[in-house]
C-alpha cells in the first residue's frame, strides 16, 4: 500500500459506469450511508477497471485508495480507488434488492436479515437496538444496581403453567424460563438492587404483532422499598433517560430514515385501573370493572392519550385477581401493581411484592399453586427478606414503540413466533 492510502471493506450496493469512470456504492461500516468508490479508467490498472465495470451487486470487496480532499458525491462520502479486490461474489440471485429500490416481502427481510442489514432502514433499527441495550446497562450500573444472570433452564415458572416450554433435563422435566421473577426476588434477601437483561421464553399459542415466543426483557428488583412509589420512580427515570438519549444520539438519522420516533418522555402520568375503565367507558368502549384490559382496550386508550400529547402512562392498582401471586394485595381487592403502556402497548409491568412469608404462602394457595414446586423460592423469605418491588420490561416492545414499528418482528434479528423457528 502506498503512503496515505487507506482500505475500505464492504458490500457493493449499487454500481454504474459513466464514460471512463465507474462509481461503486459500498456499505463499509455501521453507518447508514454507503461510501461512493470512484474508479477512473485512466488511473488504475486494466484489471482493476475490468473488475469495477463487471462487478456483481452484492459482492464483498476490498478497495485500496485515498479519500479525496473534496467530496463531490451527494451521498457525502467518497473514496478514490487504486486497487480493487472482489473477495466474494453472489452465486445466486439476491432475494433482497441491494439498492433498496424494489421492496421485498416482510418475510424476506427476516429470512435474509443479513442482507436487510446492508440497507439503511434495517441497519438503523438494529443500531437503535444496540444503543438501547448499552444505554440500559449504563443507566442501571450508574445507579448502583448489580447486573445478574439467572438460570434459563428452571424447575418452576412464575408466570403461569400454560405458557411454559418443557425441556428434557436428564431424567427430569424442566422448563425454559418465562421470567427471572423468582430468582430476582430471592436475590433481594442478599443484595439491595439487581437488574438483568434476559430472554423470556413463553409458549403463547397466538400469533400477534406484539408477542414473540422468545423475547428480551429488562428485569429490575429493588429492595428496602417504602412502597410502589419507589419502583415507579426508577422506571419513570429510566424511560425519561433512554428516550432522551436515543433522541440525542440517533434522532436525526432515525427521522431521516422515516421512523416515527418517540419524542423524549418528560412526564409519565398515572391512572388507576378504575380511572382507565371510566375513561374507556367515556369513549364508548364496552368494559366493566374486573375486565382485563385487552389489546383493543389498550389501543383505544393509547390513541386517546396520544392525541393529548401523552405517549407513556402508568396504570396502577389492578384487581389482585388479575395479577400473579407475588404481587402484594392492597385494600378493596386491589393490588400494588402497575403496567407501563407506551403508544397503546404494554411495555412493562411490575409492582410491590409480598415479602412476608405467611402472607405469601396464603397468596400462593389462593392462586392454586403447588407449594412444593416453589420450596426453593419460599426458603428465601424465611431469612430477613426486606420489602421489595420491581418490574419486567419488554425490550423488544420498547424498541418497537420507540421507533413506531408496527410489528415486533421488525425489532428482533431472528424472531421466534408460533410458526417460525428458522433462521
Ligand atoms: P409480564 O408477563 O407482564 O411480567 O412481562 C413483562 C413485560 O415483558 C414483555 N413481554 C413480552 N414481549 C413480547 N412477547 C411476549 N410474549 C412477551 N411477554 C412479556 C411485555 C411485558 O410487559 N415477572 C413479571 C414482571 C415483574 O413483575 O417484575 C412479568 O414477567 O413488555
Amino acid at each position: 500500500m502506498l503512503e496515505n492510502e487507506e482500505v475500505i471493506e464492504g458490500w457493493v450496493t449499487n454500481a454504474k459506469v459513466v464514460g471512463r469512470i465507474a462509481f461503486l456504492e459500498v456499505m463499509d461500516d455501521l453507518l447508514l450511508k454507503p461510501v461512493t468508490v470512484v474508479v477512473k479508467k485512466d488511473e488504475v490498472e486494466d484489471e482493476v477497471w475490468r473488475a469495477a465495470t463487471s462487478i456483481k451487486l452484492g459482492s464483498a470487496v476490498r478497495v485500496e485508495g485515498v479519500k479525496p480532499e473534496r467530496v463531490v458525491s451527494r451521498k457525502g462520502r467518497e473514496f478514490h480507488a487504486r486497487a480493487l479486490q472482489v473477495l466474494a461474489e453472489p452465486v445466486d440471485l439476491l432475494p433482497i434488492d441491494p439498492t433498496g429500490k424494489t421492496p421485498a416481502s416482510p418475510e424476506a427481510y427476516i429470512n435474509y436479515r443479513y442482507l436487510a442489514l446492508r440497507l439503511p432502514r434495517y441497519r438503523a433499527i438494529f443500531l437503535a437496538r444496540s444503543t438501547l441495550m448499552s444505554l440500559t446497562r449504563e443507566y442501571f450500573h450508574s445507579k448502583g444496581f448489580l447486573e445478574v444472570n439467572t438460570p434459563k433452564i428452571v424447575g418452576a415458572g412464575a408466570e403461569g403453567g400454560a405458557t411454559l416450554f418443557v425441556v428434557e433435563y436428564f431424567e427430569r422435566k424442566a422448563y425454559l424460563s418465562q421470567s427471572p421473577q423468582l430468582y430476582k426476588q430471592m436475590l433481594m434477601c442478599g443484595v439491595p438492587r439487581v437488574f438483568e437483561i434476559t430472554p423470556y421464553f413463553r409458549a403463547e399459542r397466538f400469533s400477534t404483532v406484539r408477542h414473540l415466543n422468545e423475547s428480551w426483557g429488562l428485569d429490575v428488583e429493588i429492595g428496602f422499598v417504602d412502597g410502589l412509589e419507589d419502583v415507579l420512580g426508577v422506571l419513570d427515570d429510566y424511560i425519561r433517560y433512554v428516550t432522551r438519549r436515543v433522541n440525542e444520539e440517533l434522532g436525526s438519522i432515525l427521522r431521516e430514515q422515516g421512523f416515527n420516533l418517540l419524542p423524549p418522555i418528560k412526564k409519565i402520568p398515572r391512572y388507576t385501573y378504575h380511572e382507565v375503565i371510566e375513561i374507556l367507558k367515556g369513549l364508548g368502549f364496552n368494559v366493566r370493572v374486573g375486565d382485563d384490559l385487552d389489546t383493543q382496550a389498550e389501543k383505544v386508550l393509547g390513541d386517546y392519550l396520544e392525541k393529548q400529547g401523552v405517549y407513556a402512562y402508568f396504570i396502577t392498582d389492578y384487581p389482585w385477581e388479575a395479577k400473579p401471586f407475588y404481587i402484594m394485595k392492597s385494600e378493596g381487592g386491589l393490588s400494588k401493581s402497575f403496567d407501563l403502556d407506551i403508544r397503546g402497548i404494554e411495555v412493562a409491568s411490575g409492582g410491590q411484592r409480598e415479602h412476608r412469608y405467611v402472607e405469601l404462602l396464603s397468596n400462593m394457595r389462593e392462586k392454586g399453586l403447588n407449594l412444593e414446586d416453589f420450596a426453593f423460592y419460599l426458603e428465601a423469605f424465611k431469612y430477613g427478606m426486606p420489602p421489595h418491588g420491581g418490574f419486567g420490561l419488554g425490550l423488544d416492545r420498547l424498541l418497537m414503540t420507540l421507533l413506531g414499528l408496527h410489528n415486533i418482528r421488525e425489532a428482533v434479528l431472528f424472531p421466534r413466533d408460533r410458526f417460525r423457528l428458522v433462521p
Side-chain angles (χ1 to χ4, degrees):
M1 230 168 67
L2 304 175
E3 211 185 325
N4 84 35
E5 265 196 357
E6 290 180 35
V7 173
I8 60 164
E9 294 165 333
W11 295 271
V12 180
T13 54
N14 215 344
K16 75 176 177 207
V17 182
V18 183
R20 301 170 81 78
I21 309 181
F23 298 93
L24 311 179
E25 284 184 3
V26 177
M27 279 307 257
D28 67 320
D29 199 14
L30 284 178
L31 304 171
L32 301 188
K33 291 208 169 102
V35 52
T36 303
V37 171
V38 181
V39 187
K40 294 184 178 162
K41 186 171 196 291
D42 300 333
E43 293 176 11
V44 296
E45 311 255 331
D46 288 350
E47 199 189 314
V48 173
W49 176 251
R50 262 198 307 278
T53 49
S54 61
I55 203 138
K56 284 191 187 169
L57 292 191
S59 298
V61 294
R62 176 180 295 139
V63 191
E64 284 171 25
V66 289
K67 273 196 205 133
E69 276 172 20
R70 217 167 52 82
V71 172
V72 198
S73 157
R74 269 184 294 126
K75 299 235 164 133
R77 297 168 64 225
E78 206 169 302
F79 193 75
H80 289 189
R82 188 186 57 82
L84 168 70
Q85 216 184 329
V86 178
L87 302 173
E89 53 177 30
V91 294
D92 206 343
L93 288 177
L94 292 161
I96 291 181
D97 174 11
T99 67
K101 283 182 198 137
T102 317
S105 68
E107 287 73 33
Y109 290 115
I110 297 175
N111 290 336
Y112 302 97
R113 196 56 113 191
Y114 36 91
L115 293 181
L117 285 170
R118 295 182 194 174
L119 299 172
R121 176 187 154 78
Y122 291 89
R123 192 170 272 195
I125 294 174
F126 293 97
L127 264 179
R129 185 174 176 109
S130 173
T131 302
L132 174 63
M133 293 291 179
S134 82
L135 290 173
T136 298
R137 284 214 157 84
E138 185 183 300
Y139 177 85
F140 285 99
H141 282 298
S142 79
K143 298 286 174 187
F145 281 72
L146 183 73
E147 181 166 3
V148 298
N149 305 105
T150 62
K152 302 305 147 206
I153 303 178
V154 296
E159 311 301 329
T163 66
L164 283 168
F165 279 115
V166 179
V167 184
E168 248 178 61
Y169 195 69
F170 307 107
E171 44 292 307
R172 274 186 291 169
K173 199 161 85 170
Y175 309 99
L176 291 182
S177 163
Q178 296 163 308
S179 145
Q181 184 66 35
L182 303 179
Y183 291 94
K184 65 178 180 174
Q185 281 195 261
M186 286 155 66
L187 291 171
M188 289 298 100
C189 201
V191 281
R193 289 173 295 279
V194 299
F195 80 101
E196 177 170 9
I197 293 178
T198 170
Y200 296 164
F201 302 99
R202 300 193 182 190
E204 281 152 347
R205 293 202 156 262
F206 41 84
S207 184
T208 79
V209 294
R210 55 179 73 178
H211 287 91
L212 290 171
N213 296 104
E214 176 182 301
S215 65
W216 280 79
L218 160 70
D219 269 84
V220 169
E221 205 62 30
I222 309 157
F224 301 94
V225 296
D226 290 323
L228 197 57
E229 195 51 44
D230 290 355
V231 183
L232 290 169
V234 170
L235 180 52
D236 183 300
D237 194 52
Y238 162 74
I239 291 293
R240 285 189 285 120
Y241 177 78
V242 286
T243 57
R244 175 173 65 77
R245 291 290 305 276
V246 166
N247 270 273
E248 281 167 7
E249 290 189 18
L250 300 172
S252 62
I253 64 165
L254 290 171
R255 272 187 287 270
E256 208 176 299
Q257 289 303 326
F259 292 104
N260 177 13
L261 187 62
L262 188 73
I265 300 292
K266 302 229 163 74
K267 203 166 168 296
I268 308 186
R270 294 164 194 194
Y271 303 93
T272 63
Y273 167 85
H274 277 84
E275 284 169 346
V276 166
I277 297 288
E278 289 308 314
I279 294 175
L280 286 171
K281 277 201 218 153
L283 293 170
F285 198 79
N286 189 14
V287 276
R288 277 178 319 203
V289 168
D291 284 358
D292 197 20
L293 298 178
D294 62 11
T295 306
Q296 196 48 33
E298 281 175 0
K299 191 169 164 358
V300 168
L301 181 68
D303 289 348
Y304 167 75
L305 292 174
E306 190 153 341
K307 281 198 197 105
Q308 302 169 30
V310 175
Y311 292 91
Y313 39 93
F314 286 116
I315 304 172
T316 63
D317 301 273
Y318 282 82
W320 188 75
E321 219 178 78
K323 286 288 164 183
F325 71 87
Y326 49 78
I327 294 282
M328 190 179 263
K329 289 181 176 174
S330 57
E331 296 84 48
L334 301 179
S335 66
K336 298 197 176 182
S337 61
F338 68 87
D339 281 0
L340 168 71
D341 284 23
I342 303 181
R343 289 181 154 168
I345 294 181
E346 180 203 314
V347 167
S349 72
Q352 183 169 352
R353 322 302 188 185
E354 183 50 78
H355 65 285
R356 298 162 299 182
Y357 186 70
V358 176
E359 283 80 353
L360 182 58
L361 285 181
S362 128
N363 281 4
M364 292 175 86
R365 286 200 190 96
E366 210 173 317
K367 296 280 184 194
L369 295 170
N370 178 3
L371 298 190
E372 269 170 41
D373 293 345
F374 293 87
F376 66 95
Y377 164 76
L378 287 167
E379 272 292 290
F381 290 78
K382 292 182 185 165
Y383 310 113
M385 178 63 92
H388 63 278
F391 59 86
L393 175 144
L395 287 164
D396 309 322
R397 286 200 187 169
L398 178 57
L399 183 65
M400 184 182 168
T401 56
L402 260 171
L403 300 185
L405 305 175
H406 297 295
N407 193 322
I408 195 168
R409 289 163 187 75
E410 277 205 291
V412 176
L413 279 174
F414 299 107
R416 291 289 170 262
D417 64 28
R418 179 75 180 83
F419 304 104
R420 186 182 277 281
L421 193 53
V422 293

